[in-house]
Amino acid sequence: MKRSVSPDAEPSTDGRGSSHPKRRQRGDVRQLPPNASAALLTLAENADELIAQLQALKQHEAELRDSSSGSNILDIHRRFANISEDVVASLQTLATPGNAASAASNSGLPEDRTLSRLNSAIRKASISAPSKVQPWKLAYVPKQLPTLPRVQDPIIEETAFTHPGISQDKHYERLEWLGDAYLELISTILISQTFTKLPSGRCAQIRERLVRNTTLASFFRQYGLESRAKLPSDVHRFQGKGRSNDKDITKIHADMFEAYTAAVIVADPVNGLDNVTDWLRDLWSMHIVDDLRKLELSEAKETKKEQKAAESGTNGSTTEEANKKSLSPKEELAAMIVVKGVWLRYEKMECTKKDKNLGLPLFAVGAYLDGWGEQHKLLGLGTALNVKEAGQKAATEAMQNRKLMKIYVAKKKEYMELKEAEAAALENGNGDNSAPAS
């Protein structure tokens, strides 16, 4: 009977000169500590570049010895700098026997290798503003969730869904930190380009609504991403308590959404940022539809007013309208009714209301008139998230009371005509000193 010979066997001769199969003795790579295996993989991936630069360095050794470093040496230095962090770290790992890292993750790569890959992607990513940002338009608000952009690197994608309680090294925190910055940047650019005439305080309030944890966590769940989250077994015991720590499920989902955003960007340095910007623009627009509707209504009214002014021709009213537009509501109200001896006061009032979108307390300010036969006369009341804006709203409300304004404007006109008459009389030598308006 012929014996089968294993492909791993090689011929060997015993003492009687006969040959027989003998199994080749092999080492098992699984016997290596995980960190050593990862270090060797890193060196293997950088081997070609390292060898090429060492050979180039040898060719230009004379330039270094003569201290005449030229463009070749500078280029070699730059290339060494690009790979030195990974290579040096791997060599240091191999030089420390027995210093084993944590076990391999489900991705099949040791955690220190995955971390190196993530950090390398973040370093290579272009940390800059998106190249093209189109402002929001009500007509382009999607009817359903926009398509979720893909993460080009599966290892980085997995990291975005891994909670620190699962792994001490490979988790989402680094990506979440970067994603938070990108969300702030992209939302700021979009708001700035869309709400061009809105005060900075109101712009900040819109941004807060877009990037707060409850909004981002809601997006995370709408896409069904919670099923991909790798969380500690006890994390769900804290759901709904609303505490701002890693065991608050809402904050975790928001953090993972930020991490996923960064993962898309760093895994695709060429198109990732622009893809994320387009996606977030569509996604966020669904969250601020009311704001966009108010904006476009306001712009339509403004356009209509400008068209009417253009049709009426240049009869002197155009300059007057332009001057009014440059004044704040407070200044405009003062120009309408204030003269010597007449005062407008803006006083902070008690208010228990809260903003319906942010849940933050509102401030109330009243616009009061002293003069024209009035004392502490409330003309208008305004509420806003800050006192300054509330005061401007109070002035606006006062001017909207056309019937009351008509009375005070007529009194001011009468007073000014009297002053002009007195001034003319003084020029003729017949005038007396006048008293303030009462």
Side-chain angles (χ1 to χ4, degrees):
M1 180 177 177
K2 186 177 180 179
R3 296 178 59 187
S4 62
V5 179
S6 167
D8 289 336
E10 60 182 12
S12 177
T13 305
D14 60 13
R16 293 170 294 179
S18 61
S19 63
H20 61 274
K22 176 181 178 183
R23 186 169 298 277
R24 183 182 295 121
Q25 298 297 319
R26 284 184 174 184
D28 192 339
V29 71
R30 289 174 297 182
Q31 296 175 357
L32 288 172
N35 59 338
S37 177
L40 291 172
L41 280 171
T42 300
L43 290 175
E45 289 185 355
N46 290 279
D48 291 341
E49 178 70 12
L50 183 60
I51 291 171
Q53 296 314 312
L54 286 171
Q55 290 174 339
L57 182 62
K58 187 67 177 176
Q59 292 176 4
H60 299 281
E61 181 181 359
E63 294 180 25
L64 282 173
R65 294 188 181 279
D66 296 340
S67 300
S68 58
S69 300
S71 60
N72 291 321
I73 293 298
L74 293 176
D75 185 59
I76 293 170
H77 171 265
R78 180 179 59 81
R79 293 179 180 275
F80 267 120
N82 288 339
I83 62 173
S84 62
E85 184 174 345
D86 290 341
V87 170
V88 171
S90 298
L91 291 174
Q92 289 176 338
T93 298
L94 295 174
T96 312
N99 184 25
S102 57
S105 68
N106 294 334
S107 66
L109 290 177
E111 290 189 359
D112 54 352
R113 171 70 190 127
T114 303
L115 187 60
S116 174
R117 185 166 176 171
L118 173 62
N119 288 334
S120 177
I122 292 176
R123 287 196 304 272
K124 292 176 182 177
S126 177
I127 310 299
S128 60
S131 61
K132 53 179 183 179
V133 180
Q134 297 295 328
W136 283 303
K137 294 290 183 183
L138 189 61
Y140 299 134
V141 176
K143 303 299 182 183
Q144 56 187 10
L145 280 177
T147 303
L148 186 72
R150 291 181 60 253
V151 180
Q152 300 293 338
D153 189 316
I155 306 304
I156 296 177
E157 181 177 23
E158 183 185 0
T159 304
F161 292 106
T162 303
H163 189 276
I166 295 293
S167 169
Q168 293 183 352
D169 298 316
K170 182 195 133 182
H171 52 74
Y172 64 70
E173 284 188 345
R174 182 79 175 183
L175 286 170
E176 177 260 325
W177 170 76
L178 182 62
D180 176 73
Y182 271 118
L183 288 169
E184 288 273 344
L185 174 64
I186 295 170
S187 62
T188 299
I189 295 174
L190 280 167
I191 294 168
S192 178
Q193 291 196 2
T194 304
F195 300 93
T196 56
K197 298 181 180 179
L198 205 62
S200 57
R202 290 289 296 133
C203 290
Q205 291 160 15
I206 294 176
R207 184 178 62 189
E208 166 62 20
R209 286 161 51 196
L210 297 180
V211 302
R212 60 187 176 187
N213 285 340
T214 52
T215 301
L216 301 183
S218 174
F219 292 153
F220 188 82
R221 294 162 189 159
Q222 288 178 55
Y223 280 105
L225 298 178
E226 70 272 21
S227 62
R228 300 168 64 180
K230 295 183 178 182
L231 306 174
S233 58
D234 65 341
V235 74
H236 293 287
R237 294 192 295 109
F238 299 89
Q239 183 171 1
K241 292 191 176 181
R243 300 186 306 186
S244 294
N245 53 52
D246 271 345
K247 291 187 176 180
D248 180 347
I249 197 67
T250 297
K251 185 178 187 302
I252 291 171
H253 286 172
D255 289 348
M256 287 188 173
F257 183 88
E258 293 171 337
Y260 187 90
T261 299
V264 175
I265 295 172
V266 302
D268 183 5
V270 177
N271 300 312
L273 180 55
D274 287 336
N275 291 339
V276 162
T277 301
D278 292 341
W279 166 58
L280 288 174
R281 184 191 63 230
D282 292 344
L283 182 61
W284 276 330
S285 70
M286 302 173 68
H287 196 65
I288 58 168
V289 171
D290 290 342
D291 299 86
L292 297 177
R293 186 175 291 112
K294 290 178 183 177
L295 172 67
E296 297 198 3
L297 284 173
S298 174
E299 290 177 343
K301 289 180 179 178
E302 190 69 25
T303 301
K304 188 175 181 180
K305 186 184 296 184
E306 291 174 357
Q307 289 174 347
K308 288 181 68 175
E311 291 171 359
S312 64
T314 57
N315 54 7
S317 61
T318 305
T319 303
E320 185 179 347
E321 289 292 327
N323 290 336
K324 282 187 176 182
K325 285 182 181 179
S326 65
L327 297 177
S328 70
K330 284 185 177 181
E331 292 170 333
E332 189 176 347
L333 178 60
M336 289 173 63
I337 66 174
V338 170
V339 295
K340 183 179 179 181
V342 175
W343 294 275
L344 283 172
R345 292 181 293 104
Y346 293 89
E347 295 186 0
K348 185 177 175 182
M349 305 174 67
E350 185 177 351
C351 182
T352 58
K353 295 181 179 179
K354 291 187 177 181
D355 182 85
K356 65 178 182 180
N357 292 315
L358 300 176
L360 298 175
L362 293 172
F363 293 93
V365 172
Y368 292 92
L369 172 67
D370 293 317
W372 302 127
E374 308 284 4
Q375 190 68 30
H376 202 66
K377 171 72 173 180
L378 179 62
L379 301 181
L381 176 66
T383 58
L385 287 167
N386 61 72
V387 174
K388 182 178 179 180
E389 187 177 353
Q392 300 291 0
K393 286 187 174 183
T396 300
E397 184 180 271
M399 289 186 290
Q400 289 172 349
N401 189 343
R402 297 180 183 276
K403 184 177 180 181
L404 188 61
M405 288 298 104
K406 187 176 180 180
I407 296 173
Y408 298 135
V409 169
K411 287 188 175 185
K412 177 176 178 179
K413 183 180 179 181
E414 182 182 351
Y415 172 80
M416 297 304 295
E417 290 174 349
L418 178 61
K419 291 289 291 182
E420 289 175 5
E422 290 176 349
L426 282 173
E427 288 182 3
N428 296 326
N430 299 321
D432 298 320
N433 293 330
S434 61
S438 59

